[in-house]
Amino acid sequence: MILKRFLEVINLLSLDVVVGAMICHSAFLRLPEGKFTHATTSTWLLGIAVFIIYTLDRQLDNLKPEQIATPRHRFHKQYAKALKLSVALAMLLGIYLLGHITYLTLMVGFGIAFITSIYLVVVSKLSSDSIFQAYKEPVTAFVYASGVCGTAIVQHSRVFSWIDWALAGVFFVIAFQNLLLFSAFEQQKYPQVHSLGSMWGARASRKILYGLFVINFIATSFILWHSTYSYSMGLGIVEIIMSTILVLITYFESFFVKNDRYRWVGDGIFLIPLFLFILI
Protein backbone atom coordinates (compact mmCIF):
# COMPACT_ATOMS: atom_id res chain seq x y z
CA MET A 1 0.00 0.00 0.00
CA ILE A 2 2.83 2.40 0.91
CA LEU A 3 4.71 1.50 -2.28
CA LYS A 4 1.58 2.05 -4.38
CA ARG A 5 1.04 5.50 -2.87
CA PHE A 6 4.72 6.36 -3.36
CA LEU A 7 4.50 5.45 -7.05
CA GLU A 8 1.29 7.45 -7.40
CA VAL A 9 2.99 10.54 -5.96
CA ILE A 10 5.94 10.03 -8.33
CA ASN A 11 3.50 9.96 -11.25
CA LEU A 12 1.44 12.93 -10.00
CA LEU A 13 4.64 14.97 -9.69
CA SER A 14 5.67 13.81 -13.20
CA LEU A 15 9.00 12.66 -11.75
CA ASP A 16 8.83 9.59 -14.00
CA VAL A 17 8.75 12.02 -16.95
CA VAL A 18 11.74 13.87 -15.47
CA VAL A 19 13.79 10.67 -15.12
CA GLY A 20 12.71 9.53 -18.58
CA ALA A 21 13.88 12.80 -20.11
CA MET A 22 17.28 12.46 -18.40
CA ILE A 23 17.69 8.87 -19.60
CA CYS A 24 16.72 9.75 -23.19
CA HIS A 25 19.07 12.76 -23.12
CA SER A 26 21.90 10.51 -21.99
CA ALA A 27 21.03 8.10 -24.81
CA PHE A 28 21.37 10.87 -27.41
CA LEU A 29 24.61 12.07 -25.83
CA ARG A 30 26.15 8.67 -26.65
CA LEU A 31 25.50 8.86 -30.39
CA PRO A 32 26.76 7.46 -32.65
CA GLU A 33 29.25 4.97 -31.20
CA GLY A 34 27.56 4.46 -27.83
CA LYS A 35 30.60 5.50 -25.82
CA PHE A 36 29.91 5.62 -22.09
CA THR A 37 29.07 9.10 -20.91
CA HIS A 38 28.57 9.99 -17.28
CA ALA A 39 25.49 12.01 -16.39
CA THR A 40 26.55 15.51 -17.44
CA THR A 41 25.52 18.83 -15.96
CA SER A 42 23.20 19.37 -18.93
CA THR A 43 21.41 16.11 -18.10
CA TRP A 44 20.69 17.31 -14.58
CA LEU A 45 19.68 20.75 -15.87
CA LEU A 46 17.25 19.12 -18.27
CA GLY A 47 15.67 17.13 -15.44
CA ILE A 48 15.32 20.30 -13.36
CA ALA A 49 13.80 22.19 -16.31
CA VAL A 50 11.24 19.45 -17.04
CA PHE A 51 10.20 19.37 -13.38
CA ILE A 52 9.80 23.16 -13.27
CA ILE A 53 7.83 23.32 -16.54
CA TYR A 54 5.43 20.51 -15.64
CA THR A 55 4.86 21.87 -12.12
CA LEU A 56 4.34 25.47 -13.23
CA ASP A 57 1.97 24.28 -15.95
CA ARG A 58 -0.27 22.60 -13.33
CA GLN A 59 -0.07 25.59 -11.00
CA LEU A 60 -1.08 27.98 -13.79
CA ASP A 61 -3.95 25.67 -14.74
CA ASN A 62 -5.21 25.76 -11.16
CA LEU A 63 -5.40 29.56 -11.21
CA LYS A 64 -8.29 29.29 -13.66
CA PRO A 65 -11.65 28.98 -11.89
CA GLU A 66 -13.06 26.81 -14.68
CA GLN A 67 -10.17 24.31 -14.56
CA ILE A 68 -11.33 20.68 -14.47
CA ALA A 69 -10.32 19.03 -11.18
CA THR A 70 -8.38 16.03 -12.47
CA PRO A 71 -6.52 13.94 -9.85
CA ARG A 72 -3.25 15.55 -10.98
CA HIS A 73 -4.62 19.08 -10.64
CA ARG A 74 -6.17 18.30 -7.25
CA PHE A 75 -2.82 17.04 -5.99
CA HIS A 76 -1.00 20.14 -7.22
CA LYS A 77 -3.63 22.37 -5.62
CA GLN A 78 -3.49 20.53 -2.28
CA TYR A 79 0.30 20.80 -2.05
CA ALA A 80 0.65 24.13 -3.87
CA LYS A 81 2.85 25.81 -1.23
CA ALA A 82 5.31 22.92 -1.02
CA LEU A 83 5.45 22.63 -4.81
CA LYS A 84 6.04 26.37 -5.27
CA LEU A 85 8.91 26.15 -2.79
CA SER A 86 10.35 23.14 -4.61
CA VAL A 87 10.18 25.05 -7.91
CA ALA A 88 12.01 28.01 -6.34
CA LEU A 89 14.74 25.72 -4.97
CA ALA A 90 15.00 23.93 -8.33
CA MET A 91 15.44 27.29 -10.06
CA LEU A 92 18.25 28.26 -7.69
CA LEU A 93 20.01 24.94 -8.31
CA GLY A 94 19.50 25.38 -12.05
CA ILE A 95 21.02 28.88 -11.98
CA TYR A 96 24.06 27.50 -10.15
CA LEU A 97 24.52 24.68 -12.69
CA LEU A 98 24.28 27.09 -15.65
CA GLY A 99 27.87 28.11 -14.96
CA HIS A 100 29.05 24.55 -15.58
CA ILE A 101 27.88 23.99 -19.16
CA THR A 102 29.27 25.11 -22.53
CA TYR A 103 28.29 28.40 -24.13
CA LEU A 104 26.55 26.71 -27.08
CA THR A 105 24.54 24.44 -24.79
CA LEU A 106 23.63 27.50 -22.72
CA MET A 107 22.38 29.36 -25.82
CA VAL A 108 20.28 26.41 -26.96
CA GLY A 109 18.91 26.08 -23.45
CA PHE A 110 18.02 29.78 -23.34
CA GLY A 111 16.31 29.44 -26.73
CA ILE A 112 14.17 26.55 -25.47
CA ALA A 113 13.51 28.44 -22.21
CA PHE A 114 12.35 31.50 -24.19
CA ILE A 115 9.90 29.43 -26.26
CA THR A 116 8.70 27.68 -23.10
CA SER A 117 8.19 31.00 -21.29
CA ILE A 118 6.06 32.34 -24.15
CA TYR A 119 4.08 29.10 -24.12
CA LEU A 120 3.44 29.27 -20.36
CA VAL A 121 2.42 32.94 -20.52
CA VAL A 122 0.02 32.35 -23.42
CA VAL A 123 -1.49 29.25 -21.80
CA SER A 124 -1.96 31.11 -18.50
CA LYS A 125 -3.95 33.82 -20.32
CA LEU A 126 -6.22 31.33 -22.09
CA SER A 127 -9.35 30.01 -20.46
CA SER A 128 -9.57 26.26 -19.94
CA ASP A 129 -12.32 26.07 -22.56
CA SER A 130 -10.33 27.94 -25.22
CA ILE A 131 -9.89 26.01 -28.47
CA PHE A 132 -6.24 27.13 -28.49
CA GLN A 133 -5.63 24.76 -25.57
CA ALA A 134 -5.60 22.09 -28.29
CA TYR A 135 -2.16 23.27 -29.38
CA LYS A 136 -0.70 22.35 -26.01
CA GLU A 137 0.29 18.84 -27.11
CA PRO A 138 2.42 19.66 -30.20
CA VAL A 139 4.12 22.61 -28.43
CA THR A 140 4.93 20.50 -25.38
CA ALA A 141 6.23 17.68 -27.60
CA PHE A 142 8.49 20.14 -29.45
CA VAL A 143 9.87 21.66 -26.24
CA TYR A 144 10.40 18.22 -24.69
CA ALA A 145 12.14 16.77 -27.77
CA SER A 146 14.25 19.92 -28.24
CA GLY A 147 15.44 19.73 -24.64
CA VAL A 148 16.25 16.04 -24.84
CA CYS A 149 17.83 15.93 -28.31
CA GLY A 150 18.87 19.53 -29.00
CA THR A 151 21.05 20.02 -25.93
CA ALA A 152 22.67 16.64 -26.59
CA ILE A 153 23.39 17.38 -30.25
CA VAL A 154 25.25 20.65 -29.61
CA GLN A 155 27.61 19.00 -27.12
CA HIS A 156 29.18 16.74 -29.73
CA SER A 157 32.50 17.78 -31.20
CA ARG A 158 31.54 16.36 -34.59
CA VAL A 159 28.73 17.38 -36.93
CA PHE A 160 25.70 15.18 -36.47
CA SER A 161 24.77 13.06 -39.48
CA TRP A 162 21.30 12.94 -41.03
CA ILE A 163 20.80 9.62 -39.21
CA ASP A 164 21.25 11.31 -35.83
CA TRP A 165 18.83 14.08 -36.83
CA ALA A 166 16.36 11.46 -38.08
CA LEU A 167 16.52 9.68 -34.70
CA ALA A 168 15.77 13.03 -33.05
CA GLY A 169 12.83 13.51 -35.42
CA VAL A 170 11.44 10.09 -34.54
CA PHE A 171 11.77 10.98 -30.86
CA PHE A 172 9.68 14.13 -31.41
CA VAL A 173 6.96 12.05 -33.06
CA ILE A 174 7.05 9.63 -30.10
CA ALA A 175 6.66 12.55 -27.66
CA PHE A 176 3.70 13.81 -29.69
CA GLN A 177 2.23 10.30 -29.82
CA ASN A 178 2.50 10.10 -26.05
CA LEU A 179 0.72 13.43 -25.45
CA LEU A 180 -1.98 12.80 -28.07
CA LEU A 181 -2.65 9.39 -26.53
CA PHE A 182 -3.08 10.96 -23.07
CA SER A 183 -5.28 13.68 -24.58
CA ALA A 184 -7.53 11.14 -26.31
CA PHE A 185 -7.93 9.00 -23.18
CA GLU A 186 -8.47 12.00 -20.91
CA GLN A 187 -11.09 13.41 -23.26
CA GLN A 188 -13.28 10.37 -22.66
CA LYS A 189 -13.13 10.89 -18.90
CA TYR A 190 -13.30 14.70 -18.99
CA PRO A 191 -15.12 15.60 -22.26
CA GLN A 192 -15.24 19.28 -21.28
CA VAL A 193 -11.43 19.57 -21.44
CA HIS A 194 -10.27 21.28 -24.64
CA SER A 195 -7.36 19.44 -26.27
CA LEU A 196 -6.42 17.78 -29.54
CA GLY A 197 -8.26 14.70 -28.28
CA SER A 198 -11.50 16.65 -27.92
CA MET A 199 -10.99 18.62 -31.14
CA TRP A 200 -10.27 15.56 -33.30
CA GLY A 201 -12.39 13.06 -31.39
CA ALA A 202 -11.42 9.60 -30.14
CA ARG A 203 -11.79 7.83 -33.50
CA ALA A 204 -9.75 10.35 -35.49
CA SER A 205 -7.11 10.53 -32.74
CA ARG A 206 -6.75 6.76 -32.87
CA LYS A 207 -6.22 6.84 -36.65
CA ILE A 208 -3.65 9.62 -36.32
CA LEU A 209 -1.79 7.64 -33.64
CA TYR A 210 -1.64 4.68 -36.02
CA GLY A 211 -0.44 7.01 -38.79
CA LEU A 212 2.33 8.42 -36.58
CA PHE A 213 3.45 4.87 -35.83
CA VAL A 214 3.65 4.10 -39.56
CA ILE A 215 5.77 7.24 -40.08
CA ASN A 216 8.09 6.16 -37.27
CA PHE A 217 8.32 2.62 -38.61
CA ILE A 218 9.26 3.78 -42.12
CA ALA A 219 11.78 6.35 -40.80
CA THR A 220 13.36 3.85 -38.40
CA SER A 221 13.59 1.16 -41.10
CA PHE A 222 15.41 3.66 -43.32
CA ILE A 223 17.76 4.54 -40.43
CA LEU A 224 18.54 0.87 -39.71
CA TRP A 225 19.23 0.24 -43.40
CA HIS A 226 21.80 3.03 -43.68
CA SER A 227 23.37 3.20 -40.22
CA THR A 228 26.90 1.84 -39.78
CA TYR A 229 26.96 2.10 -35.97
CA SER A 230 25.43 -0.61 -33.81
CA TYR A 231 24.50 1.92 -31.13
CA SER A 232 22.58 4.12 -33.60
CA MET A 233 20.79 1.01 -34.82
CA GLY A 234 20.04 0.03 -31.23
CA LEU A 235 18.57 3.47 -30.48
CA GLY A 236 16.43 3.19 -33.60
CA ILE A 237 15.12 -0.21 -32.47
CA VAL A 238 14.39 1.20 -29.00
CA GLU A 239 12.45 4.09 -30.54
CA ILE A 240 10.27 1.82 -32.66
CA ILE A 241 9.57 -0.30 -29.56
CA MET A 242 8.50 2.85 -27.72
CA SER A 243 6.23 3.86 -30.61
CA THR A 244 4.80 0.33 -30.84
CA ILE A 245 3.91 0.28 -27.14
CA LEU A 246 1.93 3.51 -27.54
CA VAL A 247 -0.02 1.95 -30.43
CA LEU A 248 -0.70 -1.18 -28.37
CA ILE A 249 -2.09 1.02 -25.57
CA THR A 250 -4.45 2.53 -28.14
CA TYR A 251 -5.45 -0.90 -29.50
CA PHE A 252 -6.09 -2.43 -26.05
CA GLU A 253 -7.85 0.68 -24.79
CA SER A 254 -10.32 -1.09 -22.49
CA PHE A 255 -7.46 -2.63 -20.49
CA PHE A 256 -5.22 0.42 -20.24
CA VAL A 257 -7.95 2.91 -19.38
CA LYS A 258 -8.51 1.16 -16.01
CA ASN A 259 -6.73 2.86 -13.10
CA ASP A 260 -4.95 5.15 -15.59
CA ARG A 261 -2.67 2.31 -16.70
CA TYR A 262 -2.09 4.18 -19.97
CA ARG A 263 -0.29 6.93 -18.05
CA TRP A 264 2.00 4.54 -16.20
CA VAL A 265 2.98 2.66 -19.35
CA GLY A 266 2.91 5.72 -21.62
CA ASP A 267 5.34 7.62 -19.40
CA GLY A 268 7.31 4.45 -18.67
CA ILE A 269 8.40 4.04 -22.30
CA PHE A 270 10.94 6.84 -21.84
CA LEU A 271 12.82 4.60 -19.41
CA ILE A 272 13.37 1.91 -22.08
CA PRO A 273 16.65 3.44 -23.42
CA LEU A 274 18.22 2.23 -20.15
CA PHE A 275 18.52 -1.18 -21.82
CA LEU A 276 20.82 0.38 -24.42
CA PHE A 277 23.33 1.25 -21.69
CA ILE A 278 23.32 -2.36 -20.50
CA LEU A 279 23.31 -4.19 -23.83
CA ILE A 280 25.53 -1.94 -25.98
Side-chain angles (χ1 to χ4, degrees):
M1 193 69 178
I2 296 176
L3 178 60
K4 182 181 179 182
R5 179 55 183 168
F6 174 75
L7 292 174
E8 285 178 352
V9 171
I10 292 294
N11 186 256
L12 290 169
L13 288 171
S14 298
L15 292 181
D16 48 347
V17 179
V18 171
V19 174
M22 294 174 70
I23 290 172
C24 291
H25 179 260
S26 184
F28 275 90
L29 275 175
R30 300 172 188 231
L31 282 170
E33 301 95 339
K35 291 180 179 178
F36 180 76
T37 305
H38 289 282
T40 64
T41 303
S42 64
T43 305
W44 290 106
L45 270 170
L46 175 66
I48 291 169
V50 171
F51 171 74
I52 291 173
I53 291 169
Y54 271 71
T55 305
L56 285 180
D57 189 34
R58 306 302 179 198
Q59 294 300 320
L60 290 172
D61 280 347
N62 283 334
L63 292 177
K64 303 169 185 175
E66 72 278 12
Q67 175 60 45
I68 307 302
T70 66
R72 195 173 299 270
H73 285 93
R74 287 198 300 270
F75 177 87
H76 279 257
K77 189 171 186 177
Q78 182 179 355
Y79 299 101
K81 289 184 178 179
L83 289 171
K84 288 175 183 178
L85 176 61
S86 66
V87 166
L89 293 174
M91 285 181 173
L92 289 175
L93 178 58
I95 291 171
Y96 167 75
L97 292 176
L98 285 176
H100 297 77
I101 59 175
T102 65
Y103 176 77
L104 189 55
T105 306
L106 185 63
M107 289 299 99
V108 172
F110 275 140
I112 297 171
F114 178 71
I115 294 171
T116 304
S117 298
I118 294 176
Y119 156 74
L120 288 173
V121 170
V122 171
V123 168
S124 69
K125 300 299 181 183
L126 296 174
S127 63
S128 296
D129 57 355
S130 171
I131 191 63
F132 289 102
Q133 291 284 357
Y135 297 103
K136 208 170 184 179
E137 284 82 7
V139 172
T140 303
F142 173 77
V143 170
Y144 186 80
S146 297
V148 169
C149 307
T151 55
I153 287 173
V154 297
Q155 290 184 67
H156 282 264
S157 56
R158 67 177 188 83
V159 176
F160 257 40
S161 69
W162 69 265
I163 290 178
D164 303 324
W165 284 107
L167 287 168
V170 171
F171 185 82
F172 162 72
V173 176
I174 290 171
F176 181 52
Q177 262 188 293
N178 170 272
L179 292 169
L180 178 58
L181 173 73
F182 287 3
S183 173
F185 273 66
E186 196 170 69
Q187 187 271 331
Q188 297 178 47
K189 194 171 183 180
Y190 305 100
Q192 61 272 56
V193 173
H194 283 258
S195 61
L196 280 184
S198 62
M199 187 170 74
W200 289 341
R203 188 175 180 181
S205 295
R206 192 179 298 112
K207 289 181 179 179
I208 292 170
L209 282 164
Y210 290 149
L212 292 173
F213 167 74
V214 172
I215 291 172
N216 275 348
F217 184 82
I218 293 172
T220 306
S221 298
F222 201 67
I223 290 169
L224 294 177
W225 181 262
H226 289 86
S227 180
T228 56
Y229 294 100
S230 59
Y231 180 79
S232 296
M233 295 172 68
L235 183 54
I237 292 171
V238 163
E239 287 189 328
I240 199 60
I241 290 173
M242 294 165 70
S243 189
T244 301
I245 290 173
L246 292 173
V247 167
L248 290 175
I249 293 174
T250 307
Y251 189 78
F252 296 104
E253 180 180 331
S254 59
F255 173 80
F256 284 103
V257 76
K258 295 178 181 177
N259 300 318
D260 289 343
R261 291 169 180 163
Y262 69 93
R263 280 197 172 275
W264 290 94
V265 180
D267 284 339
I269 65 167
F270 295 102
L271 305 178
I272 296 177
L274 266 178
F275 290 102
L276 272 177
F277 308 156
I278 300 171
L279 300 175
I280 301 180

